[in-house]
């Protein structure tokens, strides 16, 4: 069993001043040191469109970029469940065949898959997948909890400590941003809220400024990341 203190000490290695690319590789290196896995796939995730995109694959022989992996995770039940619940999930055997989409091919001699979400509060940045495990590995609840903890602590490092820097949004600003997150247009919001499109745009502009965002999509992403909307 991987102990909490061991995971915490290992995570501290991610906080040293290294480049973003080096940090991503380090996330997988530490993951493979801590846990009985033989391979690891790191993917980013966007809640806008439920899109997953491959970043890096790593095993004992080296690593490669996997940018060709790109999919809507709603078609892959085990990944969708892990992200929605923010818990590590594992399937094998016949359950693997039920859970996995034919479009999403991760080679596995054992037809097994582990999914570890990387998250902070309610926002999921991405996830790690493994399909090969050390001989004799028993994937019990304790081990899955340790995987979940790793994903949570990695997410905390990625998020940084900027929670207090976001200014409080007004009720109207927050309502508008929530409506944007559900896909409503400016005209639809104006009609539903009985205010002008100009006023809607003013709320959006103000919210974007308070969130330190670049545009609407970035602002919505920040609200998801901070757990303000989910």
């Amino acid at each position: 069993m991987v102990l909490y203190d061991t995971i915490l000490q290992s995570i501290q290695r991610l906080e040293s001043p290294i480049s973003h690319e080096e940090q991503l590789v380090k996330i997988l290196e530490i993951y493979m040191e801590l846990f009985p896995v033989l391979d690891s796939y790191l993917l980013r995730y966007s809640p806008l469109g439920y899109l997953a995109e491959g970043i890096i694959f790593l095993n004992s022989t080296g690593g490669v970029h996997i940018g060709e992996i790109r999919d809507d995770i709603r078609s892959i039940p085990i990944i969708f469940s892990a992200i929605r619940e923010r818990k590590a999930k594992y399937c094998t055997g016949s359950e693997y065949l039920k859970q996995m989409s034919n479009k999403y091919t991760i080679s596995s001699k054992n037809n097994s898959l582990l999914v570890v979400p990387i998250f902070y509060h309610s926002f999921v940045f991405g996830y790690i997948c493994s399909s090969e495990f050390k001989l004799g590995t028993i994937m019990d609840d304790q081990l899955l909890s340790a995987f979940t903890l790793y994903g949570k602590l990695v997410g905390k490092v990625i998020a940084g400590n900027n929670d207090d820097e976001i200014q409080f949004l007004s009720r109207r600003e927050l309502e508008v941003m929530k409506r944007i997150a559900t896909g409503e247009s400016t005209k639809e919001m104006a009609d539903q809220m009985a205010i002008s499109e100009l006023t809607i745009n003013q709320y959006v502009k103000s919210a974007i400024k308070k969130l330190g965002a670049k545009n609407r999509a970035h602002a919505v992403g920040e609200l998801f990341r901070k757990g303000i909307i989910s």
Side-chain angles (χ1 to χ4, degrees), residues 44 56 62 65 73 79 82 94 104-106 126 129 139 146 159 161 199 218:
R44 65 171 57 89
I56 299 170
H65 290 283
I73 58 93
I79 297 177
S94 61
Y104 200 96
T105 55
I106 294 180
C129 287
M139 201 65 66
N161 299 311
T199 301
H218 187 196

Side-chain angles (χ1 to χ4, degrees), residues 42 44 52-57 64-71:
L42 179 62
R44 65 171 57 89
E53 296 178 298
I55 303 176
I56 299 170
F57 166 78
V64 295
H65 290 283
I66 51 172
E68 71 279 3
I69 296 181
R70 183 182 174 90
D71 215 338

Side-chain angles (χ1 to χ4, degrees), residues 10-98:
S10 298
I11 286 292
Q12 291 174 356
R13 291 157 54 190
L14 294 175
E15 298 173 348
S16 58
I18 54 178
S19 69
H20 178 64
E21 184 73 16
E22 289 173 326
Q23 187 182 56
L24 295 179
V25 173
K26 187 69 70 177
I27 286 170
L28 294 187
E29 288 178 343
I30 294 173
Y31 168 81
M32 294 185 68
E33 289 173 11
L34 287 172
F35 299 104
V37 298
L38 299 176
D39 64 359
S40 55
Y41 297 75
L42 179 62
L43 301 98
R44 65 171 57 89
Y45 169 71
S46 170
L48 301 177
Y50 301 92
L51 181 67
E53 296 178 298
I55 303 176
I56 299 170
F57 166 78
L58 193 67
N59 63 13
S60 60
T61 63
V64 295
H65 290 283
I66 51 172
E68 71 279 3
I69 296 181
R70 183 182 174 90
D71 215 338
D72 182 333
I73 58 93
R74 288 174 293 186
S75 66
I76 313 158
I78 185 172
I79 297 177
F80 188 43
S81 174
I83 287 177
R84 187 177 64 242
E85 299 177 30
R86 296 183 294 283
K87 290 182 179 179
K89 301 282 183 174
Y90 173 76
C91 64
T92 189
S94 61
E95 191 61 28
Y96 171 89
L97 298 177
K98 296 176 186 176

Side-chain angles (χ1 to χ4, degrees), residues 7 36 52 61 64 74 106 123 125 132 150 169 172 206 222:
I7 297 175
T61 63
V64 295
R74 288 174 293 186
I106 294 180
F123 187 82
F125 296 97
E132 299 288 343
Y150 184 74
L169 299 186
R172 279 297 208 184
S206 177
E222 283 297 301

Side-chain angles (χ1 to χ4, degrees), residues 146-173:
F147 279 116
T148 298
L149 175 61
Y150 184 74
K152 179 179 180 179
L153 293 176
V154 169
K156 186 176 181 180
V157 171
I158 292 173
N161 299 311
N162 300 316
D163 282 349
D164 296 333
E165 294 179 6
I166 288 186
Q167 299 179 49
F168 185 69
L169 299 186
S170 71
R171 180 180 63 82
R172 279 297 208 184
E173 289 167 349

Side-chain angles (χ1 to χ4, degrees), residues 169 174 177 211 218-229:
L169 299 186
L174 184 56
M177 298 312 294
L211 291 165
H218 187 196
V220 170
E222 283 297 301
L223 290 170
F224 272 108
R225 185 173 74 85
K226 300 297 181 180
I228 297 172
I229 60 176

